[in-house]
Amino acid sequence: MGVPRDLVLAVDVGGGTTKGEVTAADGAVLAAETIETPYGEAAFDAIEDLGARLLDGLPADCRDRVARAAVILPGLVDPEHAIAVFSSNLGWRNVKLGSRFADRWGIPALIDHDVTVAGWAEWRHGAGRGVDDVCVLIMGTGISGTLSVGGRLVRTPPGRTGVAQAGEYGHIPVRYRDGLPCPCGNVGCVETVASGPAIARAYAARTGRETSSAETVFAAAGTDPIARAVVDDAVDALAAGLLGVLHASCPELVVLGGGLARAGDLLTEALHTRLTELLRVTPVPRVVLSEFGIRAGLIGAAHLARAGSLR
C-alpha cells in the first residue's frame, strides 16, 4: 500500500502579503507562513521560496503526502497558459510562469486568479453552497467577485489573455457625471465610492480627520452622522452597481466577503434594504456574509489543488 497523497500546498498572493499553507483534506493546517510580497517579478522568486520552506519544514512522512499545489494571483491571469498577465499594484506584465513552481516543489502546481478562486470557494464550499445562482463580492482595496448562474461559474473564456477577469464589479460606473476618476481610466466607478480606501478618504474629506480604515467609519456609523452618511453613500453605489447584474441573472444570494465584510450586519442589512428599494421586476436576493472571510483565497486555493479545476 502506497503513501497516501492527501495534503496540498496553497499560496495566496496579495498586494501587501503572500500567504502559504499546507493543509489536509479536513482543512487542518499543518504548516503556514506569511511574507511581504516583493514588487515586480521578484514576487515569483519569493513564492517559490515560500512554498519550498513550507514543504521542507514538514516531517518526511508528511512531505511525501503532499499531492498538488495551487497559486492564486491578483490582476489579470491566464490560468490555461500559466501567465501572470498584468498587475498594476505589483508591477508585472506577461510573466510566463510555465512549470516553474511545479519544477521547484516537485508536485503539479495550478495557477489561477485570486478573486475568482475565493468567490468560487464561497459559492461551492462556503456561504453559497447548495445554491445554483450566487453573486459573490470580495470587497477591500478593490471590489470584484464571481457570478454563478444555473450551477455554473461565469468565467473569462480560456485563452483570452490581456482582458479583464469576469466579475469586475468595482469598475461599473455609477457616478459617471460627477464622480471621481478611477485608476482604470473611467469616472465614478463603484470602487471610487465603496472600496475600503474610498470610504476612508470620503470620511476624511468631510470631517478633516484622517481615519485608519473603512472599518473605523463603519464602527462609528451608529453614533456619528457623518460616518453614517459615508456608509450610506457607499452602500448606494454598491447597490447601483449590482442592479444590472441582478436584473440580468437573478441570483438568489449575494455573498459579501473581503476585508469590508468585517462590518457585519450593518453592511448586509443596509445593502439588502437599498436593493429592496430599487428592485421592481426581479426578486430581491438574500444578502449574507461570507463564511471564509479573508481566508477565502487560501481555502479556495486548497480546494482548487485538490479538485484540479474550478468545478
Side-chain angles (χ1 to χ4, degrees), residues 9 11 47 55 67-72 79 82 97-112 304-305 308:
L9 168 64
V11 180
I47 295 166
L55 294 172
R68 287 194 283 193
V71 178
I72 58 174
L97 299 172
S99 63
R100 65 183 291 177
F101 299 135
D103 293 342
R104 175 74 183 275
W105 301 334
I107 51 177
L110 297 172
I111 308 295
D112 217 310
L304 171 61

Side-chain angles (χ1 to χ4, degrees), residues 123 127-136 147-151 245-247 249-255 272 275 279 282-288:
W123 168 49
R129 63 184 175 275
V131 182
D132 284 343
D133 303 298
V134 178
C135 177
V136 179
L147 180 66
S148 306
V149 180
V245 177
L246 300 182
H247 281 90
S249 60
C250 295
E252 178 183 341
L253 184 68
V254 173
V255 178
H272 187 267
L275 291 176
L279 290 172
T282 62
V284 179
R286 292 183 290 128
V287 181
V288 302

Side-chain angles (χ1 to χ4, degrees), residues 71-115:
V71 178
I72 58 174
L73 304 170
L76 304 183
V77 183
D78 179 355
E80 185 180 28
H81 300 100
I83 299 173
V85 178
F86 177 67
S87 171
S88 58
N89 291 334
L90 290 171
W92 64 58
R93 184 183 292 274
N94 292 326
V95 180
K96 296 180 179 179
L97 299 172
S99 63
R100 65 183 291 177
F101 299 135
D103 293 342
R104 175 74 183 275
W105 301 334
I107 51 177
L110 297 172
I111 308 295
D112 217 310
H113 182 241
D114 57 352
V115 172

Side-chain angles (χ1 to χ4, degrees), residues 8-14 16-24 27-37 43 46-55 58 66 68-72 105 294-295 297-302:
V8 294
L9 168 64
V11 180
D12 180 3
V13 182
T17 62
T18 294
K19 301 178 284 292
E21 289 184 351
V22 176
T23 58
V29 178
L30 280 72
E33 184 179 342
T34 299
I35 61 171
E36 291 187 5
T37 306
I47 295 166
E48 281 190 44
D49 293 341
L50 171 62
R53 283 195 302 276
L54 288 170
L55 294 172
L58 294 171
V66 182
R68 287 194 283 193
V71 178
I72 58 174
W105 301 334
I294 59 173
R295 284 185 45 78
L298 266 179
I299 291 171

